[in-house]
Amino acid sequence: MTGYLKGRLRREDIITAAIEAYRETGYHGSSLREVAKRAGITHAGLLYYFPTKEALLAAVLERRDAEDAEREKLDIPPGMELLRHLIALAEYNVAHRGIVEVYARLAAEAVAPDHPAHEYFIRHYQIARDSAVATFTALAESGELRDGVDPHAAAVAFIGMEDGLQVQWLTTPDEVDLVGSMRFFLRNLLTVPLD
Amino acid sequence: MTGYLKGRLRREDIITAAIEAYRETGYHGSSLREVAKRAGITHAGLLYYFPTKEALLAAVLERRDAEDAEREKLDIPPGMELLRHLIALAEYNVAHRGIVEVYARLAAEAVAPDHPAHEYFIRHYQIARDSAVATFTALAESGELRDGVDPHAAAVAFIGMEDGLQVQWLTTPDEVDLVGSMRFFLRNLLTVPLD
DNA sequence: CCTACCGATCGGTAGG
DNA sequence: CCTACCGATCGGTAGG
C-alpha cells in the first residue's frame, strides 16, 4: 500500500519537474533526461512512470485542468461575479509567472495540428469561449452590457486579449499592466462599474 | 558580379525555407538539415551562408522587418487612417497563415530572456506600442476617441488582443473572426464609425 | 558549395 | 527504479 503512495508522490514530483522544464524551454525543447534530473532520477526511471514523452505532457495538462477546476469553482453563475473572478484569476497568474509561461508556450507550439497538445487546446478554447459567451449574454439580459455589444464578439475578443497580453507581459513585464488592461477592456463594455 | 547575385538569391532561398520550417516546428524544433533540404543543399552548405543557427534566425527576423516596413508605409500619420491600415494588415495576415504562424511561435519561444530572438521581440513590442499610443492620442485630440478612454491602456490592450487572437485563430480557425474582433474592439472605443 | 567527420544529445528498450 | 545500450539526429568543423 505504501508502495502505491510512494509511486503517486514520485509521479507528482516528475510532473512538477516537467512543468519547470517546459516553462524554460518548451515541450519540444525539454529532454526527458533534463526533467528526470530535476526529479532526482534517471531518464529511464522517468520512463517507468511515463512510458513516452507524450504521456508526460498529457499528465502536465491534466494537472493544469485539475488546478483550473479547483480555482474556477464551477458554482459561480455567469455574470458580473464571474468577471470579477476572472480578474482575480489574472491577478493570481501575474503572481505565478511560471504558470503563464508554460501555458503561453504550449499554446503557441500546439497550433500545429500534429502537436500532441493540439486537441487539448481546441477543447480549452472552446470551453473558455462558451463560458465567456454565457457571461456576456447574462450581462446583456440584465442590462449591464452596453447597447449593441454582441456577446459572442465580446467573448472572443476578451479571451484573445487575455492570452495576447500574457505573452506581451512575459516579454516586457514593466511595460504591461495585465490586470489593468483587462479592467480597461471590460469597463468599455459595461454600463456598471466593475467593482 | 553574377557570383554575388547568385549568392544573394541563394541566401533568400534559404531564408524562405527557414520560414517554412519555423512555421511548422518552431525555431528550436527546426534542424539545419531540414532547412537545407528544403533549399536543395546540404546543411554544411547552409552553414557556408549562415555560420550558425542563430545567424539564420536573425536573417529571418530581418526579412520580416523589411516586409513590415514596406507594408506599413511609414508615411501614414497616426489616427483613423492608420487604424484602417492596421485592419487591412490583419486581413492580409489572415490570407497568409504562414506569416502568422511563424510570428506567434517565435514570440512565445522568445519569452525566455536567453532566447536569441528575445531582444528582437522587446523592440518589436515597444515599436508597436509607441505607434498605437500615438494613434489613440491623435484620436483623443480630434474627439474621435470616447471620453475617458486612456490612449496608453487602449494601445496595450489592442496589441495584446491582436496577438492573442492570432493564436486562437490558428488553433480554431472556424471559431474566430480575427478581423471582425478587431473591428469590434475599436468600435467600442471610437465615437465615429470605422469606415 | 560538398564529403566526411566530430562529440553531444535525443527518445526509447532490454534486462534485471 | 538503475545500468547499459540502441539508432537517429543535432550543430558545427576540416579540408577541399
Side-chain angles (χ1 to χ4, degrees), chain A residues 160-177:
Chain A
M161 191 199 48
E162 245 193 299
D163 293 345
L165 282 172
Q166 288 183 354
V167 176
Q168 201 180 331
W169 169 70
L170 289 169
T171 306
T172 55
D174 298 337
E175 310 280 344
V176 175
D177 178 358

Side-chain angles (χ1 to χ4, degrees), chain A residues 72 76-88 131-132 135:
Chain A
E72 281 181 9
I76 300 177
M80 218 54 186
E81 207 192 330
L82 201 144
L83 284 188
R84 278 191 285 266
H85 184 76
L86 287 179
I87 287 176
S131 158
T135 282

Side-chain angles (χ1 to χ4, degrees), chain A residues 1-153:
Chain A
M1 273 304 147
T2 33
Y4 288 103
L5 174 64
K6 196 177 142 211
R8 264 205 318 273
L9 290 176
R10 183 65 92 180
R11 284 177 63 93
E12 293 307 314
D13 287 347
I14 295 171
I15 293 171
T16 301
I19 290 172
E20 279 173 38
Y22 294 176
R23 186 181 71 188
E24 290 178 22
T25 47
Y27 167 72
H28 277 125
S30 298
S31 69
L32 295 178
R33 282 168 175 83
E34 172 60 28
V35 173
K37 192 163 74 175
R38 285 176 197 263
I41 58 174
T42 64
H43 94 284
L46 188 157
L47 286 165
Y48 167 76
Y49 289 101
F50 302 96
T52 64
K53 198 184 180 190
E54 277 195 33
L56 179 57
L57 174 62
V60 165
L61 296 176
E62 262 171 44
R63 181 192 279 188
R64 196 203 131 90
D65 273 349
E67 286 176 354
D68 269 17
E70 201 179 322
R71 240 180 288 116
E72 281 181 9
K73 296 266 196 299
L74 301 162
D75 51 357
I76 300 177
M80 218 54 186
E81 207 192 330
L82 201 144
L83 284 188
R84 278 191 285 266
H85 184 76
L86 287 179
I87 287 176
L89 213 150
E91 276 165 352
Y92 176 88
N93 283 343
V94 168
H96 297 80
R97 187 184 155 104
I99 295 174
V100 181
E101 288 176 331
V102 174
Y103 168 77
R105 288 206 54 152
L106 285 182
E109 278 188 17
V111 149
D114 60 342
H115 191 283
H118 186 67
E119 298 299 322
Y120 171 86
F121 276 98
I122 288 179
R123 277 197 309 278
H124 174 84
Y125 282 127
Q126 198 58 254
I127 291 168
R129 272 192 302 262
D130 289 350
S131 158
V133 168
T135 282
F136 285 117
T137 301
L139 293 171
E141 282 164 5
S142 60
E144 290 162 310
L145 201 65
R146 282 195 23 231
D147 260 10
V149 172
D150 173 46
H152 188 266

